[in-house]
């Protein structure tokens, strides 16, 4: 039992690493499926570039949008800002808000960068795209020291239907594959370099020590887990209370519930301040001396602006 708990604790501590590894495996698998099942280069000079570039960048754009869509931090910052724009920059900290957006966007870029790297290292999409370029300078570089037939048959090289000799066709394919892999490794190196520099800058500018920062991360994670558990528990109790009142045809029992202002305050993104050394907006709210303990008279949604839950 102790060994099982040790293994479980190790897996919990390495959730981020395991998650990124799983994401990388899914990206590799998805790229292989796209390459073998759905990708068929048209081998047409007018279509190759657009077709190859669509398969190279299209999934990356979709992954970026999905990363933003599933970002809880983005929705926590953005929800309600049209009705209350001050939520985007609470206390006038626009720089802090901008940093949060950069962090959110950076996190959403992980999957698209993985896709681009895997797709470029494989080279299939790049071969199709580059073979359809009409730019004379690029074609001159690709067909350097080759006959005019190379320029005419370049778009058919990825399909194996060109009239070039087998040696010339293989030379072009190897050149395409090398260029694609070089671009892939350049993206990997640039992403790793920026990631390292970003981590160094963030830790260098940290207002707390490394150990306190580690504690802060653990606290935020545990608070989120406990908050999810409490919301499920209280939602069940509220649903049970309402259903009981409805079916028994009597007034509902009193139900303590945070007021709307309290929900707004704990929903704001927290930035650390030396004058207020709390670990979250929730802790800052519950430890306030002027905290409003008045509960909602009725735990209902504010429908003033037409908010509706489906």
């Amino acid at each position: 039992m102790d060994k099982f708990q040790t293994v479980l604790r190790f897996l919990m501590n390495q959730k981020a690493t395991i998650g990124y590894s799983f994401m990388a495996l899914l990206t590799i698998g998805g790229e292989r499926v796209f390459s073998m099942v759905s990708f068929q280069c048209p081998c047409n000079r007018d279509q190759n570039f657009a077709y190859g570039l669509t398969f190279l960048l299209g999934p990356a754009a979709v992954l970026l949008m999905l990363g933003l869509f599933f970002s809880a931090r983005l929705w926590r910052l953005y929800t309600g800002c049209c009705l209350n724009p001050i939520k985007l920059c609470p206390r006038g900290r626009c720089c802090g808000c901008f940093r949060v957006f950069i962090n959110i966007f950076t996190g959403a870029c992980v999957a698209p960068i993985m896709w681009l790297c895997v797709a470029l290292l494989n080279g299939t999409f790049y071969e199709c795209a580059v073979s359809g370029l009409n730019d004379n300078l690029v074609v001159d570089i690709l067909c350097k020291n080759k006959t005019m037939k190379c320029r005419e048959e370049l778009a058919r090289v990825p399909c194996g239907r060109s009239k070039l000799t087998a040696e010339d066709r293989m030379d072009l394919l190897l050149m395409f594959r090398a260029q694609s892999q070089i671009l892939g490794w350049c993206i990997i190196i640039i992403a790793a370099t920026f990631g390292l520099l970003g981590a160094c800058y963030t830790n260098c500018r940290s207002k707390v020590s490394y150990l306190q920062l580690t504690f802060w991360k653990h606290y935020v994670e545990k608070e989120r887990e406990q908050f999810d558990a409490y919301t499920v528990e209280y939602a069940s109790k509220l649903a049970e209370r309402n259903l009981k009142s409805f079916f028994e045809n009597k007034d509902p029992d009193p139900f303590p519930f945070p007021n709307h202002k309290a929900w707004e305050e704990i929903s704001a993104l927290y930035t650390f301040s030396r004058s207020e050394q709390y670990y979250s907006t929730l802790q800052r709210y519950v430890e306030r001396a002027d905290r409003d303990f008045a509960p909602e008279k009725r735990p209902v949604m504010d429908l003033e602006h037409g908010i509706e839950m489906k």
Side-chain angles (χ1 to χ4, degrees), residues 139-154 157 164-176:
V139 174
D140 289 341
I141 294 175
L142 296 177
C143 292
K144 186 178 181 180
N145 298 327
K146 292 181 173 59
T147 62
M148 283 297 297
K149 186 179 290 186
C150 172
R151 303 173 65 91
E152 299 171 358
E153 300 293 324
L154 187 63
V157 169
L164 297 173
T165 64
E167 183 179 357
D168 287 343
R169 178 178 175 274
M170 183 57 63
D171 288 342
L172 288 172
L173 287 177
L174 290 176
M175 184 191 304
F176 293 156

Side-chain angles (χ1 to χ4, degrees), residues 29-266:
E31 193 276 337
R32 296 306 301 168
V33 170
F34 268 84
S35 299
M36 293 185 296
V37 177
S38 62
F39 183 78
Q40 295 291 334
C41 187
C43 291
N44 185 301
R45 179 169 295 180
D46 297 329
Q47 299 177 359
N48 277 18
F49 181 74
Y51 188 83
L53 204 63
T54 299
F55 272 81
L56 184 63
L57 300 181
V62 172
L63 289 172
L64 177 62
M65 288 185 284
L66 288 176
L68 293 173
F69 182 79
F70 289 108
S71 173
R73 296 184 70 193
L74 175 64
W75 296 119
R76 186 172 182 176
L77 182 67
Y78 181 75
T79 301
C81 70
C82 292
L83 301 177
N84 185 16
I86 196 66
K87 291 183 65 175
L88 285 176
C89 299
R91 302 185 180 186
R93 298 174 178 173
C94 296
C95 293
C97 177
F98 180 73
R99 285 198 298 268
V100 171
F101 270 118
I102 292 296
N103 290 336
I104 293 171
F105 184 78
T106 303
C109 285
V110 174
I113 289 176
M114 284 186 178
W115 168 269
L116 286 176
C117 293
V118 172
L120 287 172
L121 289 176
N122 184 35
T124 305
F125 305 144
Y126 180 87
E127 291 172 2
C128 183
V130 173
S131 64
L133 287 174
N134 289 322
D135 188 271
N136 290 329
L137 179 61
V138 176
V139 174
D140 289 341
I141 294 175
L142 296 177
C143 292
K144 186 178 181 180
N145 298 327
K146 292 181 173 59
T147 62
M148 283 297 297
K149 186 179 290 186
C150 172
R151 303 173 65 91
E152 299 171 358
E153 300 293 324
L154 187 63
R156 299 187 181 91
V157 169
C159 304
R161 300 202 304 262
S162 67
K163 298 178 182 179
L164 297 173
T165 64
E167 183 179 357
D168 287 343
R169 178 178 175 274
M170 183 57 63
D171 288 342
L172 288 172
L173 287 177
L174 290 176
M175 184 191 304
F176 293 156
R177 187 67 53 87
Q179 292 173 353
S180 180
Q181 292 178 347
I182 289 172
L183 282 176
W185 277 110
C186 286
I187 292 177
I188 293 174
I189 293 171
I190 292 172
T193 302
F194 274 98
L196 177 61
L197 292 177
C200 291
Y201 177 80
T202 302
N203 283 275
C204 181
R205 299 279 297 177
S206 176
K207 298 178 181 180
V208 297
S209 65
Y210 175 77
L211 292 179
Q212 189 177 7
L213 184 62
T214 303
F215 173 82
W216 188 359
K217 292 178 180 178
H218 286 305
Y219 171 81
V220 171
E221 182 179 350
K222 292 300 179 182
E223 182 186 270
R224 186 182 300 113
E225 293 176 359
Q226 293 293 325
F227 184 84
D228 291 340
Y230 267 83
T231 52
V232 171
E233 179 184 353
Y234 269 75
S236 300
K237 289 181 179 179
L238 180 59
E240 182 180 358
R241 171 250 202 190
N242 294 340
L243 289 170
K244 184 177 180 181
S245 172
F246 175 77
F247 282 104
E248 296 181 1
N249 197 24
K250 65 178 185 180
D251 290 334
D253 299 328
F255 193 87
F257 205 74
N259 56 37
H260 178 72
K261 184 179 179 181
W263 284 105
E264 287 291 320
E265 290 192 23
I266 70 167

